[in-house]
Amino acid sequence: MKTKHIPFFVLLICTVISFSFSTNNNDTTKPFVVVLDAGHGGHDSGNTGNGYREKTIALNIVLEVGKILEQKKNIKVIYTRKTDKFIDLHERGAIANRADADLFVSIHCNAHSSQAYGTETFVLGLHANQRNLEVAKKENEVIFLEENYEENYAGYDPNSPESFIGLTLMQEEYLDQSIMLAGLIQNNFTNKLKRKDRSVKQAGFIVLHQSYMPSVLVETGFLTNNSEGAYLNSNKGQKDMAGAIAEGVLTYQKNLDLATSHAKNPVITQEEIDKAIDTTEEKIYPGYIFKVQLAAGSKRLNTKPENFKGLKDITRNKEGGLYKYYYGETSDYNKIELMKTFAKEKGYSSCYIVAFKDGEKLRVSEVLKTQKK
């Protein structure tokens, strides 16, 4: 995941592969769930290039995309926001995870100090170059407007590629599908709307990291460009962009209908987790222990794997009137992040990392401050 952007031939290969999957009988009772995320909102205006408001334009486009998709009887649309409301980045992904969504699409508008213009669509990856890093930093700075952001994003540093070691593992399972969707949307922008193609790229967006399904972040254009800003602020421009995005989603759904069950629902295996742990750079906090808290309850359970969806290394501790169950035990923060990812894959969607020193539970954000990044 170190490419600057995704060459067209890779997109073509992904699309060809999708059509070559053997036909699978689909469960027609479950709708195809699309979560639409309008960037920013409320006290976070996003960028205000040329006096336009990103939060308003993104919301208008999202609502128009939803209107198109909702006309299809087998598609269910969920919005992270339908009004001018601020939603934490981690909650946007959580909305999609709780809905067991098939797609997560986050819509934004770009900005630059020059008259740069054009559309680009991102999938999750390490910051491959300075430009991608700057785009991700701009969008990720929203976390500083959130309450308790140090706890919600413990260990995350937008300037450090190491912050994403392990965090991209889940999305890597869906990378081909994310690239396919991004490519379809970009092709519509370029071929049907004649917008400048800034390609499909990878960068470390928190909002994409938080979702566990194929996910893309669409930068619909630059509000700071005089012509493009006016276009995006117009009803025509917003309808045009929405139509291109919606058509990309619908084409993606048709492609996926031909895929095998495994291709639709890739899973992380224990072997992949073990390999990732072995090859990931260590980030040791001497004297501290990190664990993943899976659950808490009044019932005393045996810690054998079959009681915890196959997870090993389970420990139990009674705290007050509750038994708390933990997965893993390490001083390596990167390792525990990987283990948390695996636990989420196994179905513990609300699990989180806890820290201990000499048996006393501490705030993870405070522990992470003890070591310079």
Side-chain angles (χ1 to χ4, degrees):
M1 297 189 64
K2 296 182 180 179
T3 56
K4 178 179 180 181
H5 40 76
I6 313 299
F8 176 75
F9 74 86
V10 175
L11 297 175
L12 180 61
I13 289 172
C14 290
T15 304
V16 170
I17 289 174
S18 75
F19 279 110
S20 66
F21 286 134
S22 60
T23 303
N24 186 61
N25 291 328
N26 298 318
D27 180 7
T28 56
T29 61
K30 181 185 182 299
F32 187 81
V33 180
V34 180
V35 172
L36 298 177
D37 172 50
H40 309 281
H43 59 275
D44 171 27
S45 294
N47 91 73
T48 54
N50 279 314
Y52 307 127
R53 289 191 172 189
E54 179 183 4
K55 68 172 184 176
T56 302
I57 295 173
L59 179 59
N60 290 343
I61 294 174
V62 156
L63 294 177
E64 190 64 31
V65 173
K67 188 185 302 182
I68 296 170
L69 296 180
E70 286 170 343
Q71 294 175 3
K72 307 297 180 180
K73 63 180 181 179
N74 62 330
I75 291 182
K76 178 181 179 180
V77 178
I78 295 174
Y79 304 85
T80 58
R81 69 180 182 97
K82 296 183 74 174
T83 61
D84 184 14
K85 181 180 180 181
F86 180 77
I87 306 292
D88 291 350
L89 288 189
H90 70 89
E91 176 59 19
R92 295 169 189 256
I95 290 170
N97 296 337
R98 289 194 295 267
D100 191 23
D102 296 282
L103 284 181
F104 179 83
V105 181
S106 186
I107 296 177
H108 294 254
C109 304
N110 226 326
H112 199 261
S113 57
S114 70
Q115 281 292 302
Y117 65 99
T119 64
E120 51 194 2
T121 303
F122 287 87
V123 297
L124 185 67
L126 297 179
H127 310 303
N129 64 10
Q130 188 61 29
R131 170 58 186 156
N132 291 6
L133 172 61
E134 291 303 319
V135 175
K137 282 172 61 180
K138 174 172 62 70
E139 299 295 356
N140 291 344
E141 284 174 355
V142 174
I143 68 173
F144 300 118
L145 300 177
E146 301 178 17
E147 295 181 4
N148 302 320
Y149 74 87
E150 289 183 330
E151 286 297 310
N152 293 330
Y153 309 101
Y156 172 76
D157 176 5
N159 295 292
S160 171
E162 287 75 24
S163 290
F164 276 85
I165 291 176
L167 302 187
T168 58
L169 182 64
M170 183 72 77
Q171 276 295 327
E172 283 183 359
E173 296 297 311
Y174 296 104
L175 182 58
D176 285 351
Q177 294 177 23
S178 298
I179 290 173
M180 184 195 302
L181 174 61
L184 291 168
I185 291 172
Q186 273 299 121
N187 287 341
N188 287 343
F189 288 156
T190 305
N191 299 326
K192 298 193 174 183
L193 301 184
K194 309 303 179 185
R195 313 306 299 174
K196 179 181 177 181
D197 181 17
R198 298 176 64 91
S199 75
V200 173
K201 303 176 181 178
Q202 292 177 286
F205 292 96
I206 296 177
V207 73
L208 297 184
H209 153 247
Q210 299 294 323
S211 56
Y212 298 123
M213 70 282 305
S215 305
V216 299
L217 185 144
V218 182
E219 293 282 3
T220 54
F222 288 76
L223 298 185
T224 45
N225 178 277
N226 295 338
S227 175
E228 193 160 73
Y231 172 74
L232 291 173
N233 195 53
S234 70
N235 288 334
K236 180 183 186 306
Q238 292 166 15
K239 287 182 178 295
D240 286 349
M241 302 307 288
I245 294 168
E247 184 176 338
V249 170
L250 294 173
T251 303
Y252 170 92
Q253 183 196 18
K254 291 177 183 177
N255 290 356
L256 200 64
D257 282 344
L258 300 177
T260 63
S261 177
H262 176 72
K264 292 178 182 178
N265 301 290
V267 296
I268 296 174
T269 65
Q270 183 68 58
E271 290 72 20
E272 287 174 318
I273 283 289
D274 292 341
K275 182 178 179 181
I277 289 172
D278 288 341
T279 57
T280 295
E281 179 181 355
E282 290 184 337
K283 194 173 184 179
I284 303 296
Y285 288 78
Y288 297 95
I289 293 295
F290 299 107
K291 300 181 181 182
V292 179
Q293 183 167 323
L294 300 177
S298 58
K299 187 175 181 181
R300 186 179 187 276
L301 298 175
N302 189 301
T303 56
K304 53 188 179 182
E306 49 263 44
N307 286 339
F308 293 90
K309 304 180 181 182
L311 292 176
K312 302 175 182 179
D313 302 320
I314 302 296
T315 56
R316 179 187 63 234
N317 189 36
K318 190 170 185 181
E319 301 176 27
L322 294 176
Y323 290 101
K324 295 190 177 180
Y325 298 91
Y326 300 101
Y327 170 48
E329 183 172 329
T330 179
S331 296
D332 184 347
Y333 188 76
N334 285 342
K335 178 178 179 179
I336 206 67
E337 278 281 9
L338 285 165
M339 297 184 80
K340 182 184 74 171
T341 298
F342 191 42
K344 285 179 177 287
E345 164 72 5
K346 285 291 190 178
Y348 292 98
S349 60
S350 60
C351 70
Y352 56 93
I353 296 172
V354 294
F356 296 88
K357 184 174 184 179
D358 299 328
E360 180 185 356
K361 188 178 291 187
L362 306 170
R363 291 170 65 92
V364 173
S365 59
E366 294 301 318
V367 173
L368 298 181
K369 289 178 182 178
T370 65
Q371 184 182 107
K372 292 183 179 179
K373 296 180 175 62

